[in-house]
Amino acid sequence: MNAMNPADYHESDLYRIRHSTAHVMAAAVLEKFPEGKVAIGPPIEHGFYYDFDLPRSLTEEDLVEIEARMKELLKEKHEFVYEELSPEQAQALFADQPYKLELIRDILERGTDEYGEKTAEPVLSIYRSGAFVDLCRGPHVESTKEIPPKAVKLLNVAGAYWRGDSDRPMLQRIYGTAWESPKELRQYLTWLEEVKKRDHRRLIKDLDLLSFHEEAGPGLAYWHPKGAMMRKIIEDFWRDKHIEGGYDFAYTPHIGKAWLWEKSGHLDFYQESMYAAMDVDGQDYYLKPMNCPFHILIYKTALRSYRELPLRWAELGTVYRYEKSGVLHGLMRVRGFTQDDAHIICTPEQIEDEVLRVLRFSLEMLRAFGFEEFAAYLSTRPEKAVGEPARWEQAQEALRRAIDAEGLEYAVDEGGGAFYGPKIDLKIRDALGRSWQLTTIQFDFNLPERFDMTYVGEDGAEHRPYMVHRALLGSLERFFGILVEHYAGAFPVWIAPEQARIIPIADRHIEFARQVEDQLRQAHLRVSTDASASRMNAKIRDAQLQKVPYMLVVGDREMEAASVAVRLRSGKNLGAMPVAEFIEIAEQAVASHGLEA
RNA sequence: GCCGACGUAGCUCAACGGUUGAGCAUCCGCCUUGUAAGCGGAGGGUUGUGGGUUCGAUUCCCACCGUCGGCUCCA
């Protein structure tokens, strides 16, 4: 399911098919609910949707019915006929469609199309197909005969605000998908099943990695021993890399007085997403939503010289944010999480080198975890911003040059930066072709000002340092969830919580199995022996389901030869080999960060 | 936060206006096994929580909590 680039997609036949299918769906819905109001219905990445204002909530059965009716309509082979209208004609045609009237007003007054995008000149165009007519800029297929009915499927219903505005009415959105052929639809549905199979919320349960507890608070993750082992491995690797990368570490508290958050501005801007204050000896304390103010306090414990810059301070800092209940999603969106945070404090002259260094560092880190495809996003100065324009300019240039130096493809989000500074975000593509934002590298012209951070320059005067926040993996929880889905739980050997499982065939082999286990443990492999009463086949099945990379079967023959019969979770059987040889193979896999071999 | 759906044993799911069932897992036996489930037995749920309707609710209604699909949001 690799995505086309947006411009190509917009011009494609597939786009037309989906856009037209959305119209056919709207036609079917209006037949069923003649009093229904229609909003907008664009193509999206893997299909289309259409928003409706209907007299009642749609059910699963409605969807089945609507889909069946759509297929009939498609078979009737309606032409899509384009027409341009005068404002009066358009208003008359859509007199009982308030959402369309609003769109017409916008097209005329704001020069935008029905999706709110700017257009060259306002044109009120419609497409007729059968009895259905919709305000629409197109493009569409010539006729519904271009849409194979068996390549169309409705997927689900969800609520969606009119114009995406939470102050406006909630509409019902029907999501559907459409393809050029039934075969492509089947492939897409298979892909959706694969997505579901890899869902980290399922896998963290099946693999006994983490849990959540309703009784103890939503959005708060509990790391079980196996998940904790993996996290430890990730953290150890992360720390070692940071030492090599010239970072120092900090540890800071989890709570701080209101003063800190007033000073940082968090209470002004983000209070609604902070956990409520707790009263301690008559003072308000808050759980930290970010680590930066703490690092700044450390910075300010000394008069800093330009000679000690750049400072690079990293912390796996656990923060708490009160995310709205409806947005929590497994490990991907939680209320308590650990950022792989760092702050770089440097002089203006150093900024370019530092940015490039971070970017390279990030790519190296992400590659180590098996991600190979990256895309960069540069977000620049918004209308409302703090900090001198010259600094913004310099920072943006530094970011741009770093991206160029690494040869990354990137998109610019003009005016998309935070009010306090420009940033680069890096997205990775996972094994299913989905992209996830991980790394963020953000300038901050706000906090150094608010906390009056300074350093003494060569000239003996005080200067304001640059400060860059960066998180490479983002949050450990979320990164973990992404890793789980990327590998479908079959982690590379170096990360796998259990690298090898020894499977004695009969009880008389258990003692030998323990000896082997001990040898492997001495070689720093994570290993266990399945001494249960089950048969070998059941033990293998169990290890397979737990996605253990190496299964070492030991029976009479192995005991005789002091060997292990190595089975990989891929199903491949390497046969018997001396224990030392297996250790070598496993160590090789660990060192290469690869899968079992 | 908003719209909709859902919440039954550790897990996956079934059933029902009238004293909840299965598979897997667990425990106990028997079997001692050669590359994805050997066989038998036992234990385990005041059906998310709190109200209401009813002779009677797990089932119907309301509220709350949580989960799921989205929307808004994501410093």
Side-chain angles (χ1 to χ4, degrees):
Chain A
M1 284 302 133
N2 283 317
M4 265 185 238
N5 86 51
D8 289 350
Y9 180 43
H10 206 274
E11 297 304 315
S12 68
D13 289 343
L14 194 55
Y15 186 92
R16 289 164 192 261
I17 285 173
R18 288 172 178 170
H19 202 169
S20 303
T21 308
H23 279 220
V24 173
M25 179 170 79
V29 169
L30 283 187
E31 269 184 25
K32 192 172 165 64
F33 300 98
E35 67 280 58
K37 311 297 177 204
V38 291
I40 61 167
I44 52 175
E45 190 179 3
H46 294 136
F48 60 87
Y49 67 79
Y50 211 119
D51 289 345
F52 304 94
D53 191 349
L54 301 174
R56 67 168 172 82
S57 297
L58 291 167
T59 63
E60 294 287 319
E61 295 74 59
D62 291 330
L63 228 53
V64 172
E65 229 176 88
I66 292 165
E67 184 179 310
R69 181 58 187 144
M70 283 170 68
K71 290 184 175 178
E72 287 172 16
L73 289 172
L74 287 173
K75 283 179 192 149
E76 288 169 17
K77 303 198 192 310
H78 297 286
E79 306 280 315
F80 276 81
V81 184
Y82 178 83
E83 216 175 296
E84 287 180 14
L85 300 183
S86 69
E88 294 71 28
Q89 286 172 315
Q91 276 156 355
L93 185 59
F94 293 106
D96 60 347
Q97 287 289 348
Y99 301 103
K100 295 296 179 191
L101 289 176
E102 184 174 329
L103 293 173
I104 290 169
R105 258 201 322 280
D106 282 355
I107 291 169
L108 294 174
E109 290 167 15
R110 302 219 308 246
T112 54
D113 65 16
E114 67 269 32
Y115 308 127
E117 291 166 27
K118 290 275 181 209
T119 49
E121 53 186 294
V123 176
L124 292 173
S125 60
I126 57 168
Y127 273 87
R128 295 180 185 277
S129 51
F132 182 70
V133 54
D134 200 0
L135 180 75
C136 187
R137 67 169 180 205
H140 282 281
V141 295
E142 296 278 315
S143 147
T144 54
K145 72 174 179 231
E146 293 171 42
I147 305 171
K150 284 187 177 163
V152 170
K153 188 170 171 59
L154 299 189
L155 299 173
N156 54 343
V157 194
Y161 297 110
W162 167 235
R163 312 226 98 178
D165 182 341
S166 56
D167 292 329
R168 313 224 36 199
M170 178 68 73
L171 307 173
Q172 297 190 70
R173 173 171 297 178
I174 304 179
Y175 283 95
T177 191
W179 299 82
E180 291 183 44
S181 68
K183 188 180 166 203
E184 286 171 294
L185 172 63
R186 282 197 300 275
Q187 285 170 346
Y188 174 63
L189 295 176
T190 305
W191 181 81
L192 281 183
E193 275 169 38
E194 185 60 30
V195 167
K196 205 171 164 191
K197 265 196 278 183
R198 289 175 181 239
D199 192 323
H200 73 281
R201 292 167 300 184
R202 175 80 257 139
L203 288 171
I204 60 175
K205 231 182 226 185
D206 291 347
L207 302 180
D208 192 19
L209 300 174
L210 291 104
S211 57
F212 290 91
H213 298 271
E214 175 184 347
E215 325 82 274
L220 302 168
Y222 289 66
W223 297 74
H224 298 198
K226 283 182 183 172
M229 176 58 79
M230 292 179 63
R231 174 164 167 174
K232 181 225 179 266
I233 291 157
I234 293 168
E235 288 186 355
D236 286 351
F237 175 74
W238 184 92
R239 286 198 189 87
D240 289 347
K241 279 285 166 200
H242 277 72
I243 291 171
E244 288 170 23
Y247 284 79
D248 295 302
F249 299 119
Y251 289 95
T252 61
H254 287 67
I255 59 173
K257 278 197 208 173
W259 172 86
L260 201 55
W261 310 110
E262 282 159 9
K263 191 84 178 164
S264 70
H266 285 98
L267 282 177
D268 282 343
F269 296 109
Y270 310 111
Q271 186 165 19
E272 74 290 347
S273 35
M274 288 172 68
Y275 273 94
M278 56 191 121
D279 183 295
V280 181
D281 298 339
Q283 298 269 340
D284 278 348
Y285 278 72
Y286 288 88
L287 272 169
K288 67 172 168 184
M290 294 199 98
N291 305 301
C292 13
F294 296 87
H295 287 192
I296 292 173
L297 291 188
I298 296 174
Y299 180 84
K300 285 175 67 74
T301 57
L303 197 56
R304 303 290 175 177
S305 155
Y306 73 97
R307 292 173 183 275
E308 60 185 308
L309 303 183
L311 293 168
R312 305 185 196 99
W313 291 347
E315 175 173 10
L316 292 168
T318 303
V319 298
Y320 292 88
R321 296 180 185 179
Y322 177 76
E323 301 286 359
K324 290 185 170 139
S325 59
V327 308
L328 298 175
H329 183 91
L331 287 169
M332 301 305 190
R333 191 82 178 267
V334 287
R335 285 183 172 161
F337 58 96
T338 301
Q339 293 180 310
D340 71 315
D341 207 1
H343 295 96
I344 297 163
I345 302 165
C346 65
T347 68
E349 296 73 44
Q350 292 165 335
I351 200 64
E352 189 144 344
D353 280 353
E354 287 303 311
V355 168
L356 181 57
R357 193 185 170 103
V358 175
L359 190 63
R360 286 200 173 134
F361 190 47
S362 174
L363 292 170
E364 186 189 339
M365 183 83 75
L366 297 176
R367 287 193 176 108
F369 285 101
F371 298 108
E372 290 298 336
E373 279 186 76
F374 309 97
Y377 296 80
L378 172 62
S379 301
T380 63
R381 191 172 192 273
E383 294 279 313
K384 273 179 64 184
V386 301
E388 302 151 33
R391 286 199 155 211
W392 275 82
E393 206 40 53
Q394 190 197 1
Q396 285 164 197
E397 275 318 298
L399 291 172
R400 196 186 299 272
R401 277 201 284 270
I403 296 172
D404 283 338
E406 283 304 293
L408 288 173
E409 291 209 5
Y410 71 103
V412 179
D413 184 1
E414 217 61 68
F419 74 90
Y420 53 81
K423 62 170 181 176
I424 297 178
D425 293 323
L426 282 188
K427 288 188 185 177
I428 56 98
R429 197 175 279 283
D430 75 6
L432 291 184
R434 300 169 301 176
S435 60
W436 304 94
Q437 194 214 300
L438 294 176
T439 299
T440 183
I441 304 171
Q442 306 189 340
F443 275 80
D444 192 330
F445 298 129
N446 185 44
L447 291 180
E449 202 70 42
R450 282 177 170 265
F451 282 92
D452 191 28
M453 294 167 73
T454 59
Y455 67 91
V456 179
E458 219 169 334
D459 56 2
E462 288 199 339
H463 298 272
R464 186 77 70 214
Y466 273 79
M467 179 158 114
V468 173
H469 312 257
R470 47 111 281 195
L472 307 183
L473 310 178
S475 106
L476 291 184
E477 285 75 5
R478 182 163 173 279
F479 182 70
F480 193 87
I482 292 167
L483 268 189
V484 168
E485 299 202 356
H486 181 60
Y487 287 110
F491 303 106
V493 179
W494 73 288
I495 310 179
E498 183 182 356
Q499 297 168 314
R501 185 173 298 180
I502 302 167
I503 297 176
I505 291 176
D507 287 354
R508 64 175 179 280
H509 307 123
I510 290 178
E511 198 190 323
F512 174 64
R514 297 281 186 209
Q515 287 170 21
V516 173
E517 181 182 344
D518 193 53
Q519 280 183 69
L520 298 186
R521 212 180 291 287
Q522 296 317 309
H524 292 197
L525 289 171
R526 298 182 288 277
V527 57
S528 72
T529 298
D530 185 347
S532 69
S534 313
R535 280 176 154 63
M536 180 202 66
N537 275 323
K539 292 179 183 180
I540 286 177
R541 179 180 147 83
D542 191 50
Q544 283 288 153
L545 292 175
Q546 289 296 306
K547 322 227 178 193
V548 178
Y550 299 106
M551 283 154 267
L552 309 179
V553 176
V554 297
D556 292 336
R557 300 201 292 267
E558 287 73 21
M559 236 163 88
E560 187 66 28
S563 63
V564 290
V566 181
R567 178 195 162 101
L568 309 179
R569 65 189 155 184
S570 63
K572 196 172 165 195
N573 200 334
L574 299 189
M577 61 179 75
V579 176
E581 193 179 327
F582 166 70
I583 290 176
E584 227 168 275
I585 288 177
E587 282 176 341
Q588 176 58 35
V590 168
S592 71
H593 283 201
L595 297 173
E596 76 279 10

